Amino acid sequence: MSQALEKNQDKVNLLGMDLDELETLMECWGQPCFRARQIMLWLYHRRVASFDQMTNISKSFRTELTQRAEIRFPKLVARTQSQVDLSVKYLFELTDGQQIESVLMYDGDRVTVCVSSQVGCAMGCQFCATGQMGMIRNLKAYEILSQLMAIEADLDGPKTATNVVFMGMGEPLANYREVIKALRLMIAPEGLMVAARKITVSTVGLVPRIHAFTAEKMKIGLAISLNATTDEIRTRLMPTNIHYPIREVLQAGKEWAQTMRRRVTIEYVLIRDVNDSLTDARRLRHLLHGIPSKVNLIPYNEIEGVQLRRPSVEQVERFRQQLADGHYVAPVRLSRGNDISAACGQLRTIYNSAGFVLDSSSNIV
Ligand code: SAH
Ligand code: SF4
């Protein structure tokens, strides 16, 4: 480990701290309590990169801050833009050398940032590139938050995203504490001030954690990755189904929807000859009966080394129509960034792996 890095680790990282933590720190450092709020506004509203810019703080305390604290951002290693839909995949390096990916997507007026919550994932879904990496580690709240901040700083024009989705690498509810902390900082008035309703957390379906999330009563959206209509097929695709089978997962989703008076999003990845039959579509309708929900159909993005295939456009349409006949409006979500492996389930940090084509004009920073 380099000396600089060791020195850095002696410093307290203020990014990712909430008001309580900053107040405690200020108290320890013999500073008045109001400094905490001042620093918070510099960090999350003005988004300064150095203590020198915190001009309403005395010069002597700014010097002290420079010596004792830091504002730690992940290093932006590469940026790759899709030639098809302009979405951008960002590769970040964390202090310990681990790498994560985040994606910026455009859809009409919507600017969505898709963030990662873990390096790798322990859930082992057969169809998912991140699942193939295995679990490396949880991200800290500041590492989650800083993906959004770094991408927003990189935007041309308006410097804020309209939507945030936790659909990057990892299972957010398996990293519960840090994800909730990041969410709180995203929506706090002294934080990034993202509208809670514009944030969606996507889960593989960890039932006890869905209950805990419901109890938080945060106005954040919930998406459940269902991806099958029988326990047999779901268990084959998603090993967590052994512990949390379809009915329990959907029941937890229903309770969330009823408590929050919102529709739960059901994500359904369509895989050829596995879960894309019209019988599946009918069963899906049946399963969702009485659950305030909306379905997103995601044609499978093929992954290197995995034998699963994407259904034909016609089959996707037949499946969608079968749901529509039962009054379920289920938009087909064509993943953004397919040509740069930035689409759902394609995120894994094998740098320069197939499909992660470096575009020399815009990506290296
Ligand atoms: N762990 C969470 C969030 C990350 S995955 C979850 O599983 O929900 C985000 C979404 O991508 C999930 O709905 C998942 O089913 C989907 N996905 C994963 N691999 C995919 C692939 N290869 N093609 C299309 N969608 C995929
Ligand atoms: Fe993990 Fe979600 Fe991928 Fe499953 S789909 S392996 S839960 S990231």
Side-chain angles (χ1 to χ4, degrees), residues 120-133:
C121 182
M123 302 299 142
C125 302
Q126 194 196 349
F127 50 82
C128 172
T130 311
Q132 311 291 309
M133 289 172 69

Side-chain angles (χ1 to χ4, degrees), residues 1 5 25 37 44 62 64 66 72 176 195 197 212 220 235-236 257 259 276 300 324 357 363:
M1 192 187 290
L5 199 59
L25 190 68
R37 187 176 294 273
Y44 304 122
R62 273 189 269 158
E64 192 181 333
T66 309
R72 192 189 297 168
Y176 192 82
R197 299 181 68 84
I220 309 270
T235 300
R236 227 172 73 202
T259 307
D276 66 340
Y300 178 60
V357 184
N363 56 3

Side-chain angles (χ1 to χ4, degrees), residues 22-32 35-36 39 61 65:
L22 282 168
E23 280 175 357
T24 308
L25 190 68
M26 291 307 118
E27 211 181 331
C28 290
W29 287 355
Q31 290 291 322
R35 285 264 177 275
I39 291 179
F61 186 50
L65 279 170

Side-chain angles (χ1 to χ4, degrees), residues 102 123 171 181 243 251 259 302:
S102 324
M123 302 299 142
E171 166 51 39
K181 187 175 176 200
H243 305 290
Q251 180 58 29
T259 307
E302 296 182 7

Side-chain angles (χ1 to χ4, degrees), residues 1-2 4-6 8-9 13 70 72-75 92-99 137 142-143:
M1 192 187 290
S2 75
L5 199 59
E6 279 173 13
N8 261 351
Q9 285 176 346
N13 175 26
E70 62 173 328
R72 192 189 297 168
F73 269 94
K75 194 167 128 208
F92 294 109
E93 187 169 300
L94 308 173
T95 321
D96 62 356
Q98 293 294 346
Q99 295 186 332
R137 73 168 173 86
Y142 85 89
E143 292 169 325

